[in-house]
Amino acid sequence: MRVHHIGYLVKKMDKARNAFFGLGYTDCPEPLCGVVYDETRGIDISFIEKDGYRVELICPKNEESKFYPLLKKYKNCAYHLCYETDDFEAEVAQLQQTGWTIIDEAAPAPAIEGKRVCFMVNLAMGIIELVEA
Ligand code: NI
């Protein structure tokens, strides 16, 4: 698996982007540019980058978003690493056998070209995301 991005919760997308830009981050040309609304998850997503590090900003749009409780708990902060895998199903299955639990079933992510992503948690490590290559 290869690190694909760092997921970062933010309360206000525009203000967060400007703050990151002030540190030298720029809009990431892929998997998308600018801010995209993910309707099924009720979040705005924006990919930015610096020094080869890709950061995904995630902003819950309202209290109905299932990401809202995460924002309440963590505030503005990095909360997951996402790994890209060439063998999505096999990787998820293998992780399940080594202490990882699925917390969000595999589903297409509009912000990542419709590729399937899956969120998993491990008591010793917290949350990771897998995305199919
Ligand atoms: Ni992510």
Side-chain angles (χ1 to χ4, degrees), residues 1-5 82-87 129 131-133:
M1 299 196 295
R2 302 168 296 277
V3 174
H4 184 272
H5 65 257
C82 177
Y83 299 91
E84 185 178 53
T85 169
D86 294 322
D87 199 347
E129 176 184 23
V131 58
E132 63 184 335

Side-chain angles (χ1 to χ4, degrees), residues 50-99:
K50 177 173 167 55
D51 306 330
Y53 291 93
R54 181 159 40 190
V55 177
E56 171 194 46
L57 303 178
I58 301 138
C59 180
K61 295 292 284 180
N62 52 54
E63 297 186 11
E64 282 75 57
S65 169
K66 64 174 144 184
F67 286 76
Y68 187 76
L70 284 174
L71 183 67
K72 287 282 279 186
K73 182 175 178 185
Y74 296 125
K75 313 292 182 195
N76 293 312
C77 81
Y79 82 104
H80 75 254
L81 285 181
C82 177
Y83 299 91
E84 185 178 53
T85 169
D86 294 322
D87 199 347
F88 187 76
E89 278 100 359
E91 201 74 62
V92 170
Q94 201 209 322
L95 285 170
Q96 281 183 290
Q97 290 178 6
T98 54

